[in-house]
Amino acid sequence: MSGRLPIRGADRRPARVRPYSLTGGRTRFGHLLLVETFVATLDPGADAPLRMPEMRAIVEVCRRMRTVAEISALLKLPLGVVRVLLSDLADQGRIRVYGTGHGSGRPERALLERVLSGLRRL
């Protein structure tokens, strides 16, 4: 990774920007983005640079396939904000939404164990 990722609250000062302002007050997203949905960066340097540091951080973190929950935890951003920003990035062609890894409507045991393990590390 190039440089440090911007992490809200890393310096323990109150955030200057409220989470809802990062999304322009939007709470809805156009893609199916469950906490276990996998996403990955398509081509990080293809288009013009992103102006929002949170979006740049998401693109950087997603160089390796991640779940929505992992991205939220790694960047210390609210899940709802991450979902809206991921949807915007998918619409821009910056990331690809791969789905949850299960098609039967029931998650695989291994997936549930990974999610539980990640929650315990928080």
Side-chain angles (χ1 to χ4, degrees), residues 19-33 39 42 47 50 52 54-56 58-59 80-97:
Y20 64 83
S21 64
L22 295 173
T23 63
R26 294 174 296 138
T27 58
R28 297 182 190 258
F29 40 94
H31 297 269
L32 180 60
L33 294 166
V39 296
L42 287 174
D47 296 329
L50 294 163
M52 285 181 63
E54 293 80 9
M55 288 181 120
R56 286 194 304 266
I58 289 171
V59 168
V81 170
V82 169
R83 285 177 168 162
V84 171
L85 296 179
L86 283 171
S87 185
D88 290 348
L89 288 167
D91 289 343
Q92 294 171 19
R94 299 290 187 113
I95 63 163
R96 179 168 178 200
V97 178

Coordinates of all heavy atoms in Angstrom, one line a residue, residues 19-33 39 42 47 50 52 54-56 58-59 80-97:
P19 N -20.6 11.7 9.7 CA -20.8 10.6 8.7 C -21.8 10.9 7.6 O -21.5 10.6 6.5 CB -21.2 9.4 9.6 CG -20.6 9.7 10.9 CD -20.7 11.2 11.1
Y20 N -22.9 11.4 8.0 CA -24.0 11.7 7.0 C -23.5 12.7 5.9 O -24.0 12.7 4.8 CB -25.3 12.1 7.6 CG -25.3 13.4 8.3 CD1 -25.4 14.6 7.7 CD2 -25.1 13.4 9.7 CE1 -25.4 15.8 8.3 CE2 -25.1 14.6 10.4 CZ -25.3 15.8 9.7 OH -25.2 17.0 10.4
S21 N -22.6 13.6 6.3 CA -22.1 14.5 5.3 C -21.2 13.9 4.2 O -21.0 14.4 3.1 CB -21.4 15.7 5.9 OG -20.3 15.3 6.6
L22 N -20.6 12.7 4.6 CA -19.7 12.0 3.7 C -20.5 11.4 2.5 O -20.0 11.2 1.4 CB -19.0 10.9 4.4 CG -18.0 11.3 5.4 CD1 -17.4 10.0 6.1 CD2 -16.8 12.0 4.8
T23 N -21.8 11.2 2.7 CA -22.7 10.6 1.7 C -23.7 11.7 1.2 O -24.6 11.3 0.4 CB -23.5 9.4 2.3 OG1 -24.3 9.9 3.3 CG2 -22.5 8.4 2.8
G24 N -23.5 12.9 1.6 CA -24.5 13.9 1.2 C -25.9 13.7 1.8 O -26.9 14.1 1.2
G25 N -25.9 13.0 2.9 CA -27.2 12.8 3.6 C -27.9 11.5 3.0 O -28.9 11.2 3.5
R26 N -27.3 10.9 2.0 CA -27.9 9.7 1.4 C -27.8 8.5 2.4 O -26.7 8.3 3.0 CB -27.3 9.4 0.1 CG -27.6 10.5 -1.0 CD -26.9 10.2 -2.3 NE -25.4 10.2 -2.0 CZ -24.6 9.4 -2.5 NH1 -24.9 8.4 -3.3 NH2 -23.3 9.5 -2.2
T27 N -28.8 7.7 2.4 CA -28.7 6.5 3.2 C -29.0 5.2 2.4 O -28.9 4.1 2.8 CB -29.7 6.5 4.4 OG1 -31.0 6.7 3.9 CG2 -29.4 7.6 5.4
R28 N -29.4 5.4 1.1 CA -29.8 4.3 0.2 C -28.6 4.1 -0.7 O -27.9 5.0 -1.1 CB -31.1 4.6 -0.5 CG -32.2 4.8 0.4 CD -33.5 5.0 -0.4 NE -34.6 5.4 0.5 CZ -35.5 4.6 0.9 NH1 -35.5 3.4 0.4 NH2 -36.4 5.0 1.7
F29 N -28.5 2.8 -1.2 CA -27.5 2.5 -2.1 C -28.1 1.6 -3.2 O -29.1 0.8 -2.9 CB -26.3 1.8 -1.4 CG -26.7 0.9 -0.3 CD1 -26.8 -0.5 -0.5 CD2 -26.9 1.4 1.0 CE1 -27.2 -1.3 0.5 CE2 -27.3 0.5 2.0 CZ -27.4 -0.8 1.7
G30 N -27.5 1.6 -4.4 CA -28.1 0.9 -5.5 C -27.7 -0.5 -5.7 O -28.2 -1.2 -6.6
H31 N -26.8 -1.0 -5.0 CA -26.2 -2.4 -5.1 C -26.6 -3.2 -3.9 O -26.8 -2.6 -2.8 CB -24.7 -2.3 -5.3 CG -24.3 -1.6 -6.5 ND1 -24.1 -2.3 -7.7 CD2 -24.0 -0.3 -6.8 CE1 -23.8 -1.4 -8.7 NE2 -23.7 -0.2 -8.1
L32 N -26.7 -4.5 -4.0 CA -26.9 -5.4 -2.9 C -25.6 -5.5 -2.1 O -24.7 -6.1 -2.6 CB -27.4 -6.8 -3.4 CG -27.6 -7.8 -2.2 CD1 -28.7 -7.3 -1.3 CD2 -28.0 -9.1 -2.8
L33 N -25.5 -4.8 -1.0 CA -24.3 -4.8 -0.2 C -24.6 -5.2 1.2 O -24.8 -4.4 2.1 CB -23.7 -3.3 -0.2 CG -23.2 -2.9 -1.6 CD1 -23.0 -1.4 -1.6 CD2 -22.0 -3.6 -1.9
V39 N -16.2 -7.3 -2.2 CA -15.9 -6.3 -3.2 C -14.4 -6.2 -3.4 O -13.6 -6.6 -2.5 CB -16.5 -4.9 -2.8 CG1 -18.0 -4.9 -2.7 CG2 -15.9 -4.4 -1.5
L42 N -11.2 -2.7 -9.1 CA -11.0 -3.1 -10.5 C -9.6 -2.7 -11.0 O -8.8 -3.5 -11.3 CB -12.1 -2.6 -11.4 CG -13.4 -3.3 -11.2 CD1 -14.5 -2.6 -12.1 CD2 -13.4 -4.8 -11.6
D47 N -8.8 5.8 -13.7 CA -9.6 7.1 -13.9 C -8.9 8.2 -13.1 O -7.9 8.0 -12.5 CB -11.0 6.9 -13.4 CG -11.8 5.9 -14.2 OD1 -11.5 5.7 -15.4 OD2 -12.7 5.2 -13.7
L50 N -9.7 10.2 -7.0 CA -10.8 10.5 -6.2 C -10.5 11.6 -5.2 O -9.4 11.7 -4.7 CB -11.2 9.2 -5.4 CG -11.7 8.1 -6.3 CD1 -11.6 6.8 -5.5 CD2 -13.1 8.3 -6.8
M52 N -12.4 12.5 -2.4 CA -12.7 12.1 -1.0 C -11.7 11.2 -0.5 O -11.5 10.1 -1.0 CB -14.1 11.5 -0.9 CG -15.2 12.5 -1.0 SD -16.9 11.7 -0.8 CE -16.7 11.1 0.9
E54 N -11.9 9.2 2.0 CA -12.6 8.0 2.4 C -12.7 7.1 1.2 O -12.6 5.9 1.3 CB -14.0 8.3 3.0 CG -13.9 9.0 4.4 CD -13.7 10.5 4.3 OE1 -13.7 11.0 3.2 OE2 -13.4 11.1 5.3
M55 N -13.1 7.6 0.0 CA -13.2 6.8 -1.2 C -11.8 6.3 -1.6 O -11.7 5.1 -2.0 CB -13.9 7.6 -2.3 CG -15.4 7.8 -2.0 SD -16.1 8.7 -3.4 CE -17.3 7.5 -3.9
R56 N -10.8 7.1 -1.5 CA -9.5 6.7 -1.9 C -9.0 5.5 -0.9 O -8.4 4.6 -1.4 CB -8.5 7.8 -1.8 CG -8.5 8.8 -2.9 CD -7.3 9.8 -2.9 NE -7.1 10.5 -1.7 CZ -7.6 11.7 -1.4 NH1 -8.3 12.3 -2.3 NH2 -7.3 12.2 -0.2
I58 N -11.0 3.4 0.6 CA -11.8 2.2 0.2 C -11.1 1.5 -1.0 O -10.9 0.3 -1.0 CB -13.3 2.5 0.0 CG1 -13.9 2.9 1.3 CG2 -14.0 1.4 -0.7 CD1 -15.4 3.4 1.1
V59 N -10.8 2.3 -2.0 CA -10.2 1.7 -3.2 C -8.9 1.0 -2.8 O -8.5 -0.1 -3.3 CB -10.0 2.8 -4.3 CG1 -9.1 2.3 -5.4 CG2 -11.3 3.2 -4.8
G80 N -23.3 2.0 7.2 CA -24.1 2.7 6.3 C -23.4 3.6 5.3 O -23.7 3.7 4.1
V81 N -22.4 4.3 5.9 CA -21.6 5.2 5.0 C -20.8 4.4 4.0 O -20.7 4.7 2.9 CB -20.7 6.1 5.9 CG1 -19.6 6.8 5.1 CG2 -21.5 7.1 6.8
V82 N -20.2 3.3 4.5 CA -19.4 2.4 3.6 C -20.3 1.9 2.5 O -19.8 1.9 1.3 CB -18.7 1.3 4.4 CG1 -18.1 0.3 3.5 CG2 -17.7 1.9 5.4
R83 N -21.5 1.5 2.8 CA -22.4 0.9 1.8 C -22.7 2.0 0.7 O -22.6 1.7 -0.5 CB -23.7 0.4 2.4 CG -23.5 -0.9 3.1 CD -24.8 -1.2 3.8 NE -24.8 -2.6 4.3 CZ -25.6 -3.1 5.1 NH1 -26.6 -2.3 5.7 NH2 -25.6 -4.3 5.5
V84 N -22.9 3.2 1.1 CA -23.3 4.3 0.1 C -22.0 4.6 -0.7 O -22.1 4.7 -2.0 CB -23.8 5.5 0.8 CG1 -23.9 6.7 -0.2 CG2 -25.1 5.3 1.5
L85 N -20.9 4.7 -0.1 CA -19.6 5.0 -0.8 C -19.2 3.8 -1.8 O -18.8 4.1 -2.9 CB -18.5 5.3 0.1 CG -18.7 6.6 1.0 CD1 -17.5 6.8 1.9 CD2 -18.9 7.8 0.1
L86 N -19.4 2.6 -1.3 CA -19.1 1.4 -2.2 C -20.1 1.4 -3.4 O -19.6 1.1 -4.5 CB -19.3 0.1 -1.4 CG -18.2 -0.2 -0.4 CD1 -18.6 -1.4 0.4 CD2 -16.9 -0.5 -1.2
S87 N -21.3 1.7 -3.2 CA -22.3 1.8 -4.3 C -21.8 2.9 -5.3 O -21.9 2.6 -6.5 CB -23.7 2.1 -3.7 OG -24.6 2.0 -4.8
D88 N -21.4 4.0 -4.8 CA -20.9 5.1 -5.7 C -19.7 4.6 -6.5 O -19.6 4.8 -7.7 CB -20.6 6.3 -4.9 CG -21.8 7.1 -4.3 OD1 -22.9 6.7 -4.7 OD2 -21.6 7.9 -3.5
L89 N -18.8 4.0 -5.8 CA -17.6 3.5 -6.4 C -17.9 2.4 -7.5 O -17.3 2.4 -8.6 CB -16.6 2.9 -5.4 CG -15.9 4.0 -4.5 CD1 -15.2 3.4 -3.4 CD2 -14.9 4.8 -5.4
A90 N -18.9 1.5 -7.2 CA -19.3 0.5 -8.2 C -19.9 1.2 -9.4 O -19.6 0.8 -10.5 CB -20.3 -0.5 -7.5
D91 N -20.7 2.2 -9.2 CA -21.3 3.0 -10.3 C -20.3 3.6 -11.2 O -20.4 3.8 -12.4 CB -22.3 4.0 -9.8 CG -23.6 3.4 -9.2 OD1 -23.9 2.2 -9.4 OD2 -24.3 4.1 -8.4
Q92 N -19.2 4.1 -10.5 CA -18.1 4.7 -11.3 C -17.1 3.7 -11.9 O -16.2 4.1 -12.6 CB -17.2 5.6 -10.3 CG -18.0 6.7 -9.7 CD -17.2 7.4 -8.6 OE1 -16.0 7.3 -8.5 NE2 -17.9 8.2 -7.8
G93 N -17.3 2.4 -11.7 CA -16.5 1.4 -12.3 C -15.1 1.2 -11.5 O -14.2 0.7 -12.1
R94 N -15.0 1.7 -10.3 CA -13.8 1.6 -9.5 C -13.7 0.3 -8.8 O -12.6 -0.2 -8.5 CB -13.7 2.7 -8.5 CG -13.7 4.1 -9.1 CD -12.4 4.4 -9.8 NE -12.3 5.7 -10.2 CZ -11.4 6.6 -9.7 NH1 -10.6 6.2 -8.8 NH2 -11.4 7.8 -10.2
I95 N -14.8 -0.3 -8.4 CA -14.8 -1.6 -7.7 C -15.8 -2.5 -8.3 O -16.7 -2.0 -9.0 CB -15.1 -1.4 -6.1 CG1 -16.6 -0.9 -6.0 CG2 -14.1 -0.6 -5.4 CD1 -17.1 -1.1 -4.6
R96 N -15.7 -3.7 -8.0 CA -16.6 -4.7 -8.5 C -17.3 -5.4 -7.2 O -16.6 -5.8 -6.3 CB -15.9 -5.8 -9.3 CG -16.9 -6.9 -9.8 CD -16.4 -7.7 -10.8 NE -17.4 -8.7 -11.1 CZ -17.2 -9.9 -11.7 NH1 -16.0 -10.2 -12.1 NH2 -18.2 -10.7 -12.0
V97 N -18.6 -5.5 -7.3 CA -19.3 -6.2 -6.2 C -19.5 -7.6 -6.6 O -20.0 -8.0 -7.7 CB -20.7 -5.5 -6.0 CG1 -21.5 -6.3 -5.0 CG2 -20.5 -4.1 -5.7

